[in-house]
Amino acid sequence: MNFESCGPFEFPRDRAKHWRTEFWEEVEYVWEGLSNAVGCYAFCIDNGRKIRPWYVGKTLAQGGFQDEIFTPHKLDHYSSILVPGDAHKSYRRGKPSIILFPLVTATWRLSENRSSSEAYVDWLETTLIGMALSRNPEIANTSKTRFHREVYVNGIIGGQFQGRPSDGANFARRTFRAE
């Protein structure tokens, strides 16, 4: 199974009357049919120095990304992250964006395979949540974060160890982490 990375697509802070239409027109301009594709997505904020992922989700819905990304529940997540005036959260003042990860065929066309691709989309969502959590411990996701928050493997997963890492931890880090 293959997934493409599309975006970023700017999420407007001041959502005017036709913001959704404009958003999906931009998505469709990039790749016709992308708004109805299945896969995963991530809401993030780019402040120029750092891009922080804040929420990761998936869709297998018939209407694809368009039916999933802006449900009231998701908009509540995004709005709570974009709270203005919180001085110690200055990184939230960056540009909010959404990245789409559509499922594609072996020939890199948008896949319409919803039923047999569910496990792959679910796996990608779980993986992206773990990656997002490692970059931003404050992500809005609560499901699929338990093991990422509770499991520690010295040298490669988590950051609980105090003191000098063991030789095994250093070797494990060199083996499993991209540097």
Side-chain angles (χ1 to χ4, degrees), residues 15-141:
R15 294 182 289 282
K17 188 175 183 180
H18 300 288
W19 71 271
R20 286 181 204 227
T21 303
E22 292 167 1
F23 180 90
W24 292 117
E25 283 174 355
E26 180 185 355
V27 168
E28 287 295 306
Y29 179 77
V30 168
W31 194 341
E32 188 177 341
L34 182 57
S35 62
N36 294 315
V38 298
C40 294
Y41 59 94
F43 175 77
C44 56
I45 298 180
D46 178 0
N47 74 358
R49 294 175 307 201
K50 193 173 197 177
I51 302 168
R52 268 184 206 267
W54 281 97
Y55 184 83
V56 175
K58 69 176 179 181
T59 185
L60 291 162
Q62 192 62 36
F65 292 119
Q66 195 166 10
D67 281 359
E68 179 72 25
I69 292 178
F70 300 130
T71 62
H73 170 74
K74 304 304 182 322
L75 289 173
D76 287 346
H77 279 309
Y78 308 154
S79 295
S80 69
I81 292 161
L82 298 172
V83 176
D86 197 350
H88 71 284
K89 303 288 186 189
S90 60
Y91 51 80
R92 292 184 179 180
R93 287 187 239 144
K95 181 172 68 173
S97 302
I98 293 180
I99 307 166
L100 304 177
F101 302 96
L103 178 67
V104 294
T105 66
T107 58
W108 293 95
R109 293 187 177 161
L110 294 170
S111 176
E112 296 180 10
N113 183 350
R114 286 171 163 71
S115 59
S116 64
S117 60
E118 183 174 356
Y120 293 98
V121 173
D122 189 61
W123 173 85
L124 180 61
E125 180 193 35
T126 302
T127 301
L128 290 174
I129 287 171
M131 295 170 79
L133 189 60
S134 72
R135 301 264 308 171
N136 179 12
E138 299 179 67
I139 65 169
N141 294 80

Side-chain angles (χ1 to χ4, degrees), residues 151-174 176-177:
V151 174
Y152 172 76
V153 179
N154 193 8
I156 55 174
I157 298 173
Q160 301 172 359
F161 186 77
Q162 300 296 317
R164 185 178 173 167
S166 67
D167 290 342
N170 285 328
F171 188 82
R173 180 181 302 116
R174 289 193 331 264
F176 290 99
R177 282 200 174 166

